[in-house]
Amino acid sequence: MNSDTELAPAVQSILEAARERSGGDGVVDVDARSLSDALARAEADGRVPVIAEVKPTSPTADGTRADDPVELAQAMVEGGAAAISVLTEPTHFGGSPEALTRIRAAVDVPVLRKDFVLEEEGMDVVEADLLLLIVRFVDDLDGLVAAARERGFQPLVEVHDRAELETALEAGAEIIGVNNRDLANLEVDLETFESVAPEAPDDVTLIAESGMSSPADVRRMREAGADALLVGSAIMGHGADDSDVTANTRRLTRAESAKTTDVTDSRTETETR
Ligand SMILES: O=P(O)(O)OC[C@@H](O)[C@@H](O)c1c[nH]c2ccccc12
């Protein structure tokens, strides 16, 4: 792992908290719902494959949503989300493993566990269909990818630049997320995905992560090669008056079916959250 000192203070504090958290008892054994099947179902249905994220708050969000996470996830599925991502990090994102378990029982789409898993033991906290591994934060990516698969998880390996993409590919990652947010300064730049995506082989499932808020952003990432998009803040409507999660999801999942007439595109310029 790169030195923590290159990371934003909020991220350093997240990692410290992650190192202090304990693992689960025993080893989980997951019967996972396939992400690729879920993405194919969305495509067949004319929906943009969106992984909608239940993220009560974050270091860059204004305010916290205290709604029932299960209701939020159900509203996302109603808006056409192909899969759900659940932040389980408790100290900076307001998440919990229990919320993920309840969500996974209530929806039939795949559920991603979004957390800062640094060691194998950290995987055994809760069952999920997909597990996030962040290249920048882990020392033994190969070992963690193998450990995740042994438990039945589909590992989603997160990268931020071409060098990290290489590391992910060498570790045998089949599902790769390119985070548009730079963990050094927490700034978002959609060009990140555009610069990394062309280097990825076609057989990789490529996910654009973070910073998309409008149908135009969605189309931009799709044109750059995104098989799916991971969207949190714009769907959660943090601190804004756009609190209708189903509507927020729908305007993104329908971004390719309403190309010319989408008046909501005017919200493109809203601040990146
Ligand atoms: O809220 P946004 O900008 O739509 O981003 C969602 C997701 O990509 C972001 O929450 C995220 C991407 N990688 C992470 C790693 C840890 C915690 C959070 C994340």
Side-chain angles (χ1 to χ4, degrees):
M1 176 168 54
N2 299 334
S3 156
D4 276 14
T5 53
E6 294 162 23
L7 299 168
V11 178
Q12 292 181 34
S13 144
I14 290 166
L15 291 176
E16 271 162 39
R19 288 188 195 108
E20 277 160 25
R21 265 181 285 149
S22 52
D25 302 324
V27 177
V28 299
D29 180 13
V30 188
D31 181 13
R33 302 168 190 165
S34 158
L35 179 71
S36 60
D37 289 356
L39 301 185
R41 276 197 300 273
E43 295 274 10
D45 222 24
R47 284 175 284 137
V48 177
V50 170
I51 305 172
E53 184 159 279
V54 177
K55 176 158 76 166
T57 187
S58 83
T60 53
D62 317 321
T64 297
R65 276 196 81 145
D67 317 42
D68 179 4
V70 171
E71 281 173 23
L72 291 170
Q74 285 170 330
M76 291 165 176
V77 172
E78 202 184 319
I84 300 292
S85 166
V86 183
L87 253 305
T88 56
E89 204 280 349
T91 55
H92 296 75
F93 293 88
S96 72
E98 295 72 30
L100 187 148
T101 300
R102 289 176 52 228
I103 288 170
R104 188 160 180 260
V107 300
D108 55 10
V109 300
V111 178
L112 163 68
R113 178 179 173 210
K114 203 66 168 330
D115 208 324
F116 297 81
V117 171
L118 307 174
E119 309 277 348
E120 188 169 338
E121 298 72 46
M123 297 182 182
D124 294 318
V125 170
V126 62
E127 286 182 25
D129 303 290
L130 297 125
L131 180 78
L132 181 73
L133 296 172
I134 305 174
V135 168
R136 176 145 192 182
F137 297 153
V138 301
D139 292 321
D140 176 17
L141 184 64
D142 295 31
L144 291 180
V145 165
R149 289 196 179 126
E150 273 162 28
R151 288 162 168 80
F153 293 112
Q154 298 157 91
L156 162 52
V157 179
E158 178 175 305
V159 306
H160 182 66
D161 57 27
R162 292 176 185 184
E164 289 184 358
L165 174 69
E166 273 316 305
T167 307
L169 293 171
E170 278 162 20
E174 292 165 358
I175 307 171
I176 297 183
V178 181
N179 195 354
N180 287 312
R181 190 181 296 282
D182 185 345
L183 297 164
N185 53 25
L186 296 181
E187 276 166 24
V188 157
D189 184 350
L190 299 189
E191 272 181 31
T192 307
F193 183 83
E194 290 171 326
S195 87
V196 176
E199 309 296 316
D202 282 348
D203 56 354
V204 163
T205 298
L206 204 56
I207 302 177
E209 300 182 358
S210 307
M212 290 154 277
S213 56
S214 67
D217 292 341
V218 166
R219 293 194 287 269
R220 179 174 164 189
M221 294 293 97
R222 291 281 278 170
E223 274 155 28
D227 296 309
L229 314 168
L230 178 54
V231 182
S233 307
I235 288 178
M236 293 293 288
H238 284 306
D241 54 7
D242 48 354
S243 60
D244 182 340
V245 167
T246 300
N248 292 345
T249 308
R250 195 168 279 145
R251 62 192 273 276
L252 303 182
T253 58
R254 289 192 181 162
E256 289 176 336
S257 36
K259 277 194 173 129
T260 48
T261 52
D262 194 335
V263 289
T264 56
D265 269 14
S266 60
R267 295 205 313 197
T268 310
E269 303 309 329
T270 51
E271 183 196 345
T272 308
R273 283 161 291 185

